[in-house]
Amino acid sequence: QAVEAKLTAIQADNALKLEQMRATVDEKLAATLEQRLGESFKQVAERLEQVHRGLGEMQTLARDVGSLNRVLTNVKTRGVFGEVQLAGLLEQVFTPEQYGTNVATVPGSRERVEFAIRLPGRDHDGVVWLPIDAKFPREDYERLLDAQEHGDVDAARLAGDALERQVRKQAREIHDKYVAPPHTTEFAILFLPTEGLYAEVLRRPGLVEALQRDQRIAVAGPTTLLALMTSFQMGF
């Protein structure tokens, strides 16, 4: 009876201790789970806040790109874009006395070229101008890029032909307005402000050669123009 009573007491005591241990473990697990979940939700909230800020920055960037697109849509502003880039290239190479801006290269003409390089003439004080005009046929070039991106061969061909016609027209205008030997060189330079556009013009079969032969117009992109101007600077 004594042993049985003792065993009963031990069983009751063990059951109580096990219940206390279970309650303690449940409490610890609950606290730990709550802490971990809280930390996880905090991290998720921080990440979401960062994503929200990133989206806001992307929206701002999209608005800026849209503003730039609207700016370049304007024909006059696009011309200014090419002029600014051309001016920057000339400033890198020449002194202000070695080139002019808004120059009337043809005596008696009201047409003024954006930039002209001042070359020495036959007379001691004579000047021969080398006209440089920036052009940016953006619409035709964008249509060509869109067609190439979508793999539309016919649309790419039509856009390429339109771009070629526009470049030929602009070259002819430069020649007719600004080239008049012996007051100018026998040729002028048509400056294309992006390397992609310049590469596309070079890709047109026979276009650059025809402009040089028929219109006395040399086509140059940013890198080509810089190299050409550097060679002139060495001549100076």
Side-chain angles (χ1 to χ4, degrees), residues 67-143:
S67 300
L68 177 61
N69 184 62
R70 288 192 296 273
V71 166
L72 292 180
T73 300
N74 182 275
V75 176
K76 179 60 179 176
T77 309
R78 272 183 283 139
V80 173
F81 169 73
E83 289 180 18
V84 170
Q85 190 170 4
L86 178 54
L89 292 174
L90 295 177
E91 289 174 359
Q92 292 181 36
V93 180
F94 297 123
T95 63
E97 295 78 17
Q98 292 174 332
Y99 69 96
T101 59
N102 295 321
V103 180
T105 56
V106 181
S109 173
R110 299 177 61 182
E111 300 291 348
R112 293 181 175 271
V113 69
E114 296 167 356
F115 297 94
I117 307 300
R118 184 181 282 107
L119 301 175
R122 292 182 178 179
D123 300 333
H124 179 69
D125 296 328
V127 174
V128 176
W129 295 104
L130 168 58
I132 306 177
D133 199 11
K135 298 296 182 182
F136 190 9
R138 173 175 171 270
E139 288 86 358
D140 295 324
Y141 181 51
E142 281 192 349
R143 281 194 290 267

Side-chain angles (χ1 to χ4, degrees), residues 17 28 45 51 54 63 76 87 100 109 131 133 140 145 163 165 174 176 185-186 188 192 196 204 229:
K17 294 295 178 63
K28 294 293 185 181
V51 171
R63 286 195 298 269
K76 179 60 179 176
S109 173
D133 199 11
D140 295 324
L145 293 180
L163 175 63
R165 288 193 299 270
I174 293 173
D176 294 343
T185 55
E186 294 184 354
L192 301 173
R204 305 296 299 176
M229 295 301 100

Side-chain angles (χ1 to χ4, degrees), residues 8-225:
T8 302
I10 291 175
Q11 290 177 350
D13 185 64
N14 286 341
L16 179 61
K17 294 295 178 63
L18 288 174
E19 181 63 24
Q20 292 176 350
M21 291 175 61
R22 185 190 63 78
T24 302
V25 170
D26 288 345
E27 182 180 353
K28 294 293 185 181
L29 286 176
T32 303
L33 181 60
E34 182 178 359
Q35 180 183 359
R36 295 293 175 83
L37 287 177
E39 293 175 354
S40 298
F41 280 119
K42 182 180 179 181
Q43 292 178 355
V44 170
E46 291 175 351
R47 297 295 187 272
L48 289 176
E49 184 179 357
Q50 293 176 1
V51 171
H52 181 71
R53 287 199 301 267
L55 289 175
E57 294 173 356
M58 290 179 63
Q59 290 174 352
T60 302
L61 178 61
R63 286 195 298 269
D64 293 341
V65 172
S67 300
L68 177 61
N69 184 62
R70 288 192 296 273
V71 166
L72 292 180
T73 300
N74 182 275
V75 176
K76 179 60 179 176
T77 309
R78 272 183 283 139
V80 173
F81 169 73
E83 289 180 18
V84 170
Q85 190 170 4
L86 178 54
L89 292 174
L90 295 177
E91 289 174 359
Q92 292 181 36
V93 180
F94 297 123
T95 63
E97 295 78 17
Q98 292 174 332
Y99 69 96
T101 59
N102 295 321
V103 180
T105 56
V106 181
S109 173
R110 299 177 61 182
E111 300 291 348
R112 293 181 175 271
V113 69
E114 296 167 356
F115 297 94
I117 307 300
R118 184 181 282 107
L119 301 175
R122 292 182 178 179
D123 300 333
H124 179 69
D125 296 328
V127 174
V128 176
W129 295 104
L130 168 58
I132 306 177
D133 199 11
K135 298 296 182 182
F136 190 9
R138 173 175 171 270
E139 288 86 358
D140 295 324
Y141 181 51
E142 281 192 349
R143 281 194 290 267
L144 176 59
L145 293 180
D146 290 339
Q148 290 175 344
E149 182 178 355
H150 292 88
D152 192 336
V153 178
D154 294 335
R157 178 177 52 80
L158 293 176
D161 292 343
L163 175 63
E164 180 174 337
R165 288 193 299 270
Q166 186 66 19
V167 171
R168 288 180 181 273
K169 175 184 176 183
Q170 292 172 346
R172 186 166 54 252
E173 291 176 353
I174 293 173
H175 178 270
D176 294 343
K177 290 180 179 179
Y178 309 127
V179 178
H183 307 289
T184 69
T185 55
E186 294 184 354
F187 71 99
I189 297 176
L190 190 160
F191 174 66
L192 301 173
T194 68
E195 294 292 353
L197 177 58
Y198 175 61
E200 194 60 46
V201 171
L202 288 181
R203 195 175 295 118
R204 305 296 299 176
L207 175 58
V208 174
E209 292 79 5
L211 296 180
Q212 293 175 348
R213 181 184 63 252
D214 301 334
Q215 307 296 338
R216 301 292 184 182
I217 297 297
V219 182
T223 303
T224 307
L225 182 70

